[in-house]
Amino acid sequence: MSDPRVAAVPVRECGERLVDVRTAKGDGTGRGLLVDFREQAGSDTSFALLREGVLRRLLHAEELLPPGLRLLFVEGYRPPALQRHYFEEYVDQLRALHPDRPAAEIHAAASRYVSPPDIAPHSAGAAVDLTLADAEGRELDLGTRMNADPEESEGACYTDAPNIGAEARAHRAVLGAALTGAGLVNYPTEWWHWSYGDRYWALASGAPSALYGPRDADSSDRDRGPLS
């Protein structure tokens, strides 16, 4: 996300609604996505929101998986204020590790792992953090824990990292095939991060503009019913 070409992509906001992942059902299977609540605390349920077009593509990706595998949804929408907190927190962490680095270099390094607030796809409802599970909902091995940073994982969080086992690499390939087949793109420093309709998606796919820009959710988003 530190690439200036991402920030240069124009946003032509389509106004598509945010919908709740927990209430949506796929057309082909009649079932929704598995939702993991491990990182969610308190009463705020905004993590379960996504733009309608993104959710439709996730439900399609679920149908593209081999029998016995499921997508395991962890986080979608992230309020801009929370995104800013995460970004500044990681900047502070890098600054403590590398006190002699220039501020611009720290900012660019932080942007590889946490999106700057003004271009963050999570804050547009365009991005999802997810992994694979078996038919019983048990999480599969994809090489690192979700949200492992490059320092902690020695770069194993990168989608094409060579320092992971064969089984984890195969699981990443299965996940990637389904999500790519449904039209999403991966941010290559985070195997779990996929998006559609945001600025990074536009740059990666060759689209002339992004469909979704950062926005604040309101109570009407949380009250909306399932996909129609």
Side-chain angles (χ1 to χ4, degrees), residues 49-139:
L49 300 175
L50 282 175
R51 296 288 187 137
E52 188 171 17
V54 182
L55 179 51
R56 288 190 185 279
R57 284 164 176 79
L58 286 182
L59 292 169
H60 178 52
E62 172 95 354
E63 297 170 1
L64 297 177
L65 289 173
L69 295 182
R70 303 286 307 276
L71 296 177
L72 181 61
F73 174 97
V74 176
E75 184 180 17
Y77 175 75
R78 189 179 296 156
L82 181 59
Q83 182 69 32
R84 185 173 299 105
H85 169 74
Y86 285 160
F87 184 77
E88 292 174 353
E89 184 177 56
Y90 191 48
V91 165
D92 289 343
Q93 177 185 335
L94 292 179
R95 188 179 293 118
L97 289 171
H98 309 286
D100 297 329
R101 286 190 182 180
E105 188 176 329
I106 291 291
H107 186 279
S111 301
R112 296 188 187 103
Y113 178 65
V114 181
S115 298
D118 55 333
I119 61 171
H122 278 290
S123 296
V128 58
D129 292 341
L130 78 176
T131 186
L132 279 179
D134 65 17
E136 284 71 47
R138 293 183 294 252
E139 187 176 353

Side-chain angles (χ1 to χ4, degrees), residues 4 7 9 49 57 86 91 117 119 121 153 157 201 204-205 213 216 220 228:
V9 172
L49 300 175
R57 284 164 176 79
Y86 285 160
V91 165
I119 61 171
S153 68
C157 60
W201 164 84
S205 66
D216 287 308
S220 65
S228 57

Side-chain angles (χ1 to χ4, degrees), residues 15-19 50-53 215 221 224-228:
E16 192 174 277
R17 65 176 184 159
L18 288 165
V19 290
L50 282 175
R51 296 288 187 137
E52 188 171 17
R215 54 159 292 182
D221 292 313
R224 289 190 192 277
L227 293 177
S228 57

